[in-house]
Amino acid sequence: MKKDDIIQMKIEDFSTEGLGIGHAEGMAVFVKDTVIGDEIRAKIIKTKKTYAYGRLMEVLQASPDRVEPVCPVARQCGGCQLQAMDYQAQLRFKQNKVRSNLMRIGGFGEELLDRIMGPVIGMEEPFHYRNKAQFPIGTDREGRLVAGFYAGRTHSIIDNHDCALGIKENRQILEMILEHMRSHGISAYDEASGKGLVRHVMIRSGFRTGQIMVCLILNGRKLPAQEELVRKLSGLPGVVGITLNINQDKTNVILGRETRLLWGQEYIEDYIGDVKYQISPLSFYQVNPVQTEKLYGTALEYAALQGNETVWDLYCGIGTISLFLAQKAGKVYGVEIVPEAIDDARRNASLNHFENTEFYVGKAEEVLPEKYEKEGITADVIVIDPPRKGCEEAVLDTMVRMAPDRIVYVSCDSATLARDLKYLCGHGYELKRVRATDMFPMSVHVETVALLTRKSQ
């Protein structure tokens, strides 16, 4: 097989990036914009030793799971990978993805998974679920201002002011900012040259409170006619705060370290269950509040707290899971490497009048051994929600030595989850329950909660 060859094949699976996978001439071929079950014709655009990439030329026979995407630019935009796939089929794919990784990487048997794995938790309305949108601002080939989302694997902006995953208010806010830029000759940032002023517009919203925050991310310290724009934005329904984030580094990192308040308040408030959170521009907060409540509810159910337990929450962020657990626990310790997130966690604990929480700044693999070995702090339950790479072995080892009755593992990557569960189950623990939650409809990503108990119980 070589570049520019035309092949015909059936799509059998998805890659982790959402590319359809088929086989031709003994090689795996990855093709964007396909659905499992499609019979396609594709043009080879790149070849490697054992696999190749193709461009979809024609769908010869559509999969029974293929649907018309809601978004008119779904194929160009890199934000969604599965919009052309029926939502129930998406849920089946995600359930199978988690199950397959647990079997292939974790070594767990089919019979066990049949018994302990619950059905994936989906959404009744799998669109307009995101409470946060980050729109890059740029120019097209004619020099006109554009805003939207990056095309897959590129930093080319697909002009789209009304994302099907975001809130309806995004469009009016974004278009008001673009009109202000046009009226006052304000430039968009150019990544290649490092010049231009407006880099991104970030909009955060509270689904329960209806509060909206607008954050302008600039390659500078002030926007021309800034007061005029602030006056217009502050008059929109729901807007409670307007901030300016300064990022003058030549980088593709979106947010800089300094944020200034232009009007209103520096945060929005929202709820997960009965717990209230303050969310600032730099705060990490789950983007799907409807599913977050279900995800954390599953974690709380698995923790089976009776009211007197000592609980550790590792990789705790702004304390979202910690405070959920604090409703039922005796004492909750949270660990997070980002100092600003710990500040938010402490503030959120105070906001909800929780006096049974304590938060530490540092790496989980350093803080946990130190508190256990030097201070003798143990745990009845440990809850972990690590980044995509999973847990450091030092964390897993310390958890095993602390010997909590239960470990609740919340994962955004079922491959590293399976790897870590294999380690824990080889060191005295038993996998008791597993359930996936669809936090990101229209994408290939899925969150999973697993419960482990000590075998001696």
Side-chain angles (χ1 to χ4, degrees):
M1 189 183 295
K2 61 185 184 301
K3 187 179 177 183
D4 295 330
D5 280 357
I6 303 296
I7 61 165
Q8 188 171 320
M9 66 178 187
K10 184 171 184 175
I11 300 299
E12 302 157 352
D13 201 354
F14 280 127
S15 72
T16 54
E17 294 103 353
L19 303 178
I21 305 172
H23 289 85
E25 299 180 26
M27 293 177 72
V29 183
F30 298 84
V31 184
K32 186 177 175 290
D33 305 313
T34 56
V35 172
I36 295 172
D38 280 345
E39 293 272 1
I40 67 161
R41 182 177 289 118
K43 183 178 183 178
I44 299 300
I45 55 175
K46 185 190 290 186
T47 60
K48 298 288 186 179
K49 199 167 186 178
T50 57
Y51 62 93
Y53 291 95
R55 179 182 294 115
L56 177 64
M57 305 298 289
E58 183 183 2
V59 178
L60 301 171
Q61 184 170 339
S63 164
D65 295 326
R66 178 174 276 278
V67 296
E68 187 65 29
V70 169
C71 175
V73 293
R75 183 167 179 180
Q76 301 99 298
C77 179
C80 294
Q81 300 93 46
L82 304 183
Q83 256 201 57
M85 189 178 197
D86 174 74
Y87 185 57
Q88 293 305 312
Q90 291 183 35
L91 295 179
R92 290 195 299 272
F93 161 70
K94 292 180 182 188
Q95 180 84 350
N96 290 337
K97 176 182 178 179
V98 174
R99 184 185 173 94
S100 172
N101 281 332
L102 289 173
M103 292 172 61
R104 182 174 53 85
I105 301 170
F108 299 101
E110 283 193 61
E111 192 176 309
L112 172 68
L113 296 178
D114 286 343
R115 192 169 69 251
I116 68 169
M117 191 171 179
V120 61
I121 303 172
M123 296 194 75
E124 291 180 21
E125 173 48 62
F127 291 99
H128 304 294
Y129 62 80
R130 287 187 64 94
N131 59 16
K132 176 184 176 184
Q134 297 176 139
F135 295 94
I137 309 297
T139 54
D140 63 14
R141 290 178 181 174
E142 286 73 43
R144 292 175 299 211
L145 286 170
V146 293
F149 299 95
Y150 293 124
R153 296 185 164 195
T154 77
H155 270 210
S156 299
I157 299 172
I158 303 299
D159 199 31
N160 179 15
H161 304 172
D162 192 17
C163 173
L165 304 187
I167 61 171
K168 63 182 184 348
E169 291 85 355
N170 287 346
R171 180 172 187 167
Q172 184 180 11
I173 293 168
L174 195 58
E175 291 182 350
M176 185 175 283
I177 294 167
L178 291 173
E179 179 55 37
H180 181 82
M181 291 177 65
R182 284 189 285 265
S183 297
H184 295 278
I186 300 169
S187 59
Y189 181 72
D190 176 65
E191 278 193 1
S193 67
K195 296 180 179 178
L197 184 60
V198 181
R199 301 177 74 126
H200 281 77
V201 173
M202 182 171 72
I203 304 169
R204 304 192 83 149
S205 56
F207 275 32
R208 290 262 292 275
T209 62
Q211 296 179 2
I212 296 172
M213 173 193 292
V214 182
C215 182
L216 304 164
I217 298 138
L218 303 187
N219 180 36
R221 304 193 68 83
K222 187 174 171 64
L223 190 74
Q226 188 169 281
E227 295 77 10
E228 178 188 327
L229 179 60
V230 167
R231 189 169 60 251
K232 290 177 181 177
L233 289 172
S234 63
L236 295 177
V239 174
V240 298
I242 302 167
T243 58
L244 187 151
N245 179 267
I246 298 160
N247 184 359
Q248 294 179 283
D249 295 333
K250 193 172 180 182
T251 173
N252 59 9
V253 174
I254 294 174
L255 290 164
R257 299 286 294 177
E258 183 183 350
T259 302
R260 289 171 37 212
L261 180 66
L262 300 182
W263 174 86
Q265 60 193 44
E266 296 180 88
Y267 56 85
I268 59 169
E269 294 180 329
D270 204 14
Y271 289 83
I272 300 175
D274 296 326
V275 182
K276 183 191 284 189
Y277 298 89
Q278 288 184 355
I279 308 145
S280 66
L282 296 176
S283 294
F284 171 79
Y285 188 73
Q286 292 281 10
V287 299
N288 186 336
V290 173
Q291 293 298 89
T292 298
E293 188 166 342
K294 297 173 185 175
L295 180 77
Y296 290 179
T298 302
L300 190 59
E301 176 193 342
Y302 286 7
L305 301 175
Q306 302 301 309
N308 58 353
E309 294 91 348
T310 297
V311 182
W312 278 86
D313 176 19
L314 309 185
Y315 314 95
C316 71
I318 66 167
T320 43
I321 294 182
S322 301
L323 302 189
F324 227 63
L325 297 165
Q327 298 174 98
K328 298 282 183 72
K331 179 77 174 183
V332 178
Y333 296 97
V335 182
E336 169 61 49
I337 195 170
V338 180
E340 293 86 355
I342 289 295
D343 291 340
D344 285 341
R346 289 169 179 153
R347 186 168 58 249
N348 286 322
S350 177
L351 182 69
N352 290 276
H353 309 292
F354 286 122
E355 297 180 355
N356 60 338
T357 59
E358 202 167 326
F359 296 97
Y360 300 104
V361 177
K363 295 180 179 179
E365 59 267 28
E366 294 173 0
V367 174
L368 192 64
E370 181 184 333
K371 295 297 175 184
Y372 171 61
E373 292 162 6
K374 295 182 181 178
E375 299 181 27
I377 299 176
T378 57
D380 300 300
V381 178
I382 294 179
V383 178
I384 45 176
D385 186 5
R388 195 166 295 282
K389 67 177 183 177
C391 289
E392 299 288 338
E393 192 165 310
V395 174
L396 298 173
D397 177 62
T398 304
M399 286 197 296
V400 168
R401 287 189 289 116
M402 289 177 79
D405 296 330
R406 294 176 296 287
I407 297 173
V408 179
Y409 195 134
V410 181
S411 169
C412 60
D413 187 314
S414 57
T416 55
L417 169 69
R419 179 202 68 201
D420 292 349
L421 294 182
K422 183 176 183 179
Y423 180 95
L424 292 168
C425 288
H427 292 79
Y429 281 84
E430 186 176 0
L431 184 60
K432 285 291 189 180
R433 298 181 72 181
V434 181
R435 194 163 193 191
T437 301
D438 187 21
M439 294 283 285
F440 310 104
M442 309 302 138
S443 84
V444 292
H445 303 297
V446 61
E447 299 258 341
T448 310
V449 184
L451 168 66
L452 301 108
T453 63
R454 275 196 297 138
K455 288 178 181 175
S456 57
Q457 289 184 307

